[in-house]
Amino acid sequence: MEELEHTCPLPQTTLIEPAIFTTETSCECQAPHEKLTIDQARRGTPVDRPVRIYADGIFDLFHSGHARALMQAKNLFPNAYLIVGVCSDELTHKYKGFTVMTEEERYEALRHCRYVDEVLRDAPWTLTQAFLEKHKIDFVAHDDIPYSSAGSEDVYKHIKEAGMFVPTKRTEGISTSDLITRIVRDYDVYARRNLQRGYTAKELNVSYINEKKYRLQNQVDKMKEKVRTVEEKSKHFVYRVEEKSHDLIQKWEEKSREFIGNFLELFGPDGTWKQMFQDRSGRMIQGFSPHCSPSSSPPRDFSPSRSPSPPSRWAMPRTSPPSSPKGASASISSMSEGDEDEK
């Protein structure tokens, strides 16, 4: 374990604390603080002689544009120490306008930016030579757009002339003014949202009538959301029904084709049923047809319902069949005698 502890590289220092505030003795450079040129600073300086860069501003509603500007300032030189000056509410309200965040909130926002080494509270609106010397500032970082204020066309003009100005680039599409414009543009939306979250009309500086209007709009929005939810569920249900219907129709078509094919195979022109019918018809015709025609028609029987015709004198009397041979010879004798009498 001891060998591993000695051989494993130590982790890099991480930011676990916010940046410090500037004090009268915050500059602890041991080396003599001689003036540096930009070329000297870019080539690098000793570890105990960092390049002290100063960047100032209001930093209201601290956003990514502010952070990117400070990142550029921090990375201007290999060995840089970034001091950020934040103007107080009094100066800001006097020269620029009202702020959303208080000065204490703005100080804390800057302290927790990873590129900031030191925060200078109540920074001056314009930089004097005495201020620069007091804090041993080598360069001032800001975007190079002329900043007109406090009766000056550009408050950084004398810094630029002294060769102490290093420019940074602004981030397009994001600024404090843009954020405030969004809030003002959608004021009703944010007022309604905060009322819904429990803020009072007094806290939001909203009149009684507007409060009722916003609350009614919130109720309408809730109803719309419910309707939208029902519509989405209905669409999902209809979609599922359509899928099922499509499957059923497809199966029905397959079964229909199978049924029609079986029907044609059984009852079609050359179907099995026709062949069976022809075979049975042939057998029936053969069964009803006689093998030879008779020479004379069979005797016609009289219907029992008709009255019998009068007996002919030549008709033979019905006699019961002889029960014995003697009776049969007696019958023949009597028939002979009768013939002789008729003669």
Side-chain angles (χ1 to χ4, degrees):
M1 281 299 289
E2 293 180 359
E3 292 181 358
L4 288 175
E5 289 178 359
H6 289 294
T7 56
C8 292
L10 296 175
Q12 295 182 355
T13 304
T14 57
L15 298 175
I16 58 174
E17 294 180 357
I20 62 172
F21 284 121
T22 301
T23 61
E24 295 295 331
T25 59
S26 61
C27 183
E28 298 178 353
C29 298
Q30 301 298 326
H33 195 82
E34 298 177 355
K35 187 174 182 181
L36 296 173
T37 64
I38 293 179
D39 291 337
Q40 290 174 334
R42 285 175 178 169
R43 285 195 298 266
T45 58
V47 177
D48 60 348
R49 174 57 175 95
V51 180
R52 292 172 66 84
I53 303 171
Y54 179 80
D56 60 356
I58 309 302
F59 302 105
D60 193 20
L61 296 177
F62 188 79
H63 52 74
S64 61
H66 294 140
R68 289 176 65 86
L70 298 176
M71 178 186 68
Q72 294 175 57
K74 177 68 174 177
N75 290 281
L76 285 170
F77 308 110
N79 184 20
Y81 185 86
L82 181 59
I83 306 167
V84 179
V86 183
C87 299
S88 64
D89 287 345
E90 182 181 357
L91 280 178
T92 305
H93 297 168
K94 178 180 178 180
Y95 291 111
K96 191 169 184 178
F98 194 73
T99 58
V100 177
M101 300 170 67
T102 65
E103 60 183 63
E104 294 297 332
E105 292 170 340
R106 292 185 283 119
Y107 297 155
E108 287 299 318
L110 267 299
R111 289 187 70 200
H112 291 83
C113 177
R114 63 183 299 178
Y115 310 112
V116 178
D117 296 304
E118 187 176 316
V119 175
L120 191 148
R121 294 172 288 190
D122 193 13
W125 197 259
T126 56
L127 304 178
T128 63
Q129 188 63 30
F131 176 83
L132 297 174
E133 292 177 357
K134 176 182 178 180
H135 296 282
K136 298 181 180 181
I137 295 170
D138 294 307
F139 300 101
V140 177
H142 201 274
D143 62 78
D144 56 358
I145 300 173
Y147 193 86
S148 59
S149 180
S152 174
E153 294 182 359
D154 187 2
V155 296
Y156 298 103
K157 182 179 179 181
H158 63 289
I159 304 295
K160 294 176 181 177
E161 292 174 349
M164 298 177 64
F165 185 86
V166 284
T168 58
K169 293 182 180 180
R170 295 175 65 91
T171 302
E172 296 297 330
I174 182 70
S175 69
T176 302
S177 298
D178 290 339
L179 296 176
I180 294 174
T181 300
R182 296 179 200 175
I183 296 171
V184 172
R185 181 188 60 200
D186 300 325
Y187 168 77
D188 288 353
V189 175
Y190 294 117
R192 287 165 51 192
R193 183 190 68 173
N194 284 4
L195 281 173
Q196 192 173 7
R197 292 184 177 183
Y199 288 87
T200 63
K202 185 178 180 180
E203 290 174 324
L204 297 172
N205 195 25
V206 173
S207 65
Y208 176 81
I209 295 176
N210 284 336
E211 178 191 4
K212 298 303 178 185
K213 181 183 73 173
Y214 293 149
R215 293 192 184 280
L216 178 61
Q217 289 174 340
N218 286 336
Q219 294 297 325
V220 172
D221 287 346
K222 287 182 179 179
M223 293 298 297
K224 287 181 179 179
E225 185 64 27
K226 289 182 179 179
V227 171
R228 193 178 297 110
T229 303
V230 172
E231 287 179 352
E232 291 295 329
K233 291 182 178 179
S234 300
K235 287 180 181 178
H236 182 65
F237 175 75
V238 171
Y239 177 74
R240 291 183 61 186
V241 170
E242 287 179 351
E243 281 188 337
K244 294 292 184 182
S245 301
H246 180 72
D247 293 341
L248 289 174
I249 290 172
Q250 188 174 3
K251 290 180 180 179
W252 182 83
E253 289 178 350
E254 292 175 357
K255 292 294 182 181
S256 298
R257 286 193 292 267
E258 183 180 353
F259 175 78
I260 292 172
N262 294 335
F263 182 84
L264 292 176
E265 184 179 354
L266 186 62
F267 297 103
D270 299 324
T272 306
W273 182 260
K274 182 178 180 181
Q275 187 67 30
M276 292 172 58
F277 181 76
Q278 289 178 350
D279 293 345
R280 287 189 178 184
S281 298
R283 288 197 296 268
M284 290 176 64
I285 291 172
Q286 290 178 1
F288 284 113
S289 299
H291 295 284
C292 57
S293 300
S295 58
S296 61
S297 301
R300 183 178 180 182
D301 295 334
F302 293 100
S303 173
S305 59
R306 295 180 181 177
S307 59
S309 56
S312 172
R313 67 186 186 93
W314 300 102
M316 296 292 293
R318 294 184 178 180
T319 57
S320 57
S323 58
S324 62
K326 293 180 178 181
S329 45
S331 298
I332 294 172
S333 320
S334 61
M335 289 177 64
S336 307
E337 291 175 355
D339 290 338
E340 291 177 356
D341 290 339
E342 288 179 356
K343 293 178 178 179

